[in-house]
Amino acid sequence: MKKTFLYFILICILFTGINYGHGDKKHKKGQDTVTVVNGDTIAVNGVMIIDSLTMGKEIIEPEEIKNTDEFEFSITDAAFEHIHNKIIHFPIALTFLLLIFMILGYKVEICYRASKIIVILGLLFSIAAAVAGLLQATAFEGNNVYSLLELHRNLGFVSIIIWGLLTWVILKRKSWSIQFSIVLTLTILISFIGLLGGIIAQ
């Protein structure tokens, strides 16, 4: 009976050793695939690893390892960040809308009334966009695109002058040819200014 009990204990110990000999790690079939670059192991079985040697070469800094799944969105921060980039879409859209009104419905009274509202809104939004742009411009000082930003800014000031002239021409109801030529010039100019703005923002 004692021998049977001892055999049972030995079998239990042996079974425990087999199951937990590697801690919580599971056995793998076959050999591991190790990726080595310049003498440093960078991956095992296709999974990237970070070792002390990599840290020492400053290839990957510990503080740079972040959980990319974490994302915090604040609507107030998003609404008041880069104001110029948001406001500028209004004068651009209003310019093209005004051009459409000029082509399709200048002689229709309701289109003329709408044009008066559009041109005033365009002037106000272009001024607001210019102010917001000047506030954002300081972040680009010393940047290699600053010369483009200066051209973008100067042409923006020219567009405000044209908006002012166009507002006066439309409110005074000058001839269609004068209004149309100014609107067309403004549309081309604002398109180019927007192109520059897109290059700067990249």
Side-chain angles (χ1 to χ4, degrees):
M1 184 69 181
K2 288 182 180 179
K3 286 184 179 180
T4 305
F5 181 74
L6 287 173
Y7 287 143
F8 177 77
I9 296 296
L10 288 173
I11 289 170
C12 288
I13 292 170
L14 181 62
F15 182 78
T16 305
I18 291 170
N19 276 329
Y20 299 99
H22 295 283
D24 293 331
K25 296 180 182 176
K26 295 182 179 179
H27 290 278
K28 294 182 180 178
K29 294 181 180 179
Q31 295 181 344
D32 290 332
T33 303
V34 180
T35 305
V36 179
V37 176
N38 296 329
D40 296 335
T41 302
I42 63 165
V44 176
N45 294 326
V47 180
M48 295 295 294
I49 63 168
I50 302 165
D51 57 13
S52 58
L53 186 59
T54 306
M55 296 288 188
K57 290 182 178 178
E58 297 181 355
I59 296 173
I60 300 175
E61 293 292 340
E63 60 269 15
E64 293 176 359
I65 305 166
K66 296 178 182 177
N67 186 359
T68 54
D69 294 332
E70 294 179 4
F71 174 72
E72 293 182 7
F73 175 74
S74 172
I75 193 164
T76 52
D77 291 344
F80 295 103
E81 205 173 49
H82 306 298
I83 296 292
H84 173 77
N85 304 31
K86 296 175 176 65
I87 296 176
I88 197 59
H89 292 91
F90 289 99
I92 293 172
L94 291 170
T95 305
F96 281 92
L97 185 60
L98 198 56
L99 181 64
I100 292 169
F101 272 95
M102 286 289 167
I103 295 170
L104 300 179
Y106 171 74
K107 293 184 178 180
V108 180
E109 187 63 25
I110 192 168
C111 289
Y112 171 68
R113 291 177 184 175
S115 296
K116 289 195 293 185
I117 297 170
I118 292 168
V119 75
I120 292 170
L121 288 175
L123 176 61
L124 294 175
F125 275 116
S126 62
I127 293 170
V131 172
L134 289 173
L135 293 175
Q136 284 180 215
T138 53
F140 290 89
E141 289 181 1
N143 197 301
N144 56 357
V145 296
Y146 193 72
S147 58
L148 282 179
L149 188 140
E150 288 180 318
L151 177 61
H152 178 75
R153 178 198 62 199
N154 295 337
L155 291 177
F157 290 147
V158 172
S159 72
I160 292 173
I161 293 170
I162 296 175
W163 269 112
L165 176 63
L166 185 60
T167 302
W168 180 80
V169 166
I170 289 177
L171 292 180
K172 290 293 183 180
R173 203 161 190 173
K174 298 295 181 179
S175 67
W176 178 85
S177 58
I178 294 174
Q179 292 186 38
F180 180 75
S181 60
I182 296 174
V183 171
L184 184 60
T185 303
L186 183 62
T187 305
I188 295 169
L189 178 61
I190 280 189
S191 299
F192 181 66
I193 294 170
L195 176 65
L196 289 176
I199 296 170
I200 293 165
Q202 287 181 349

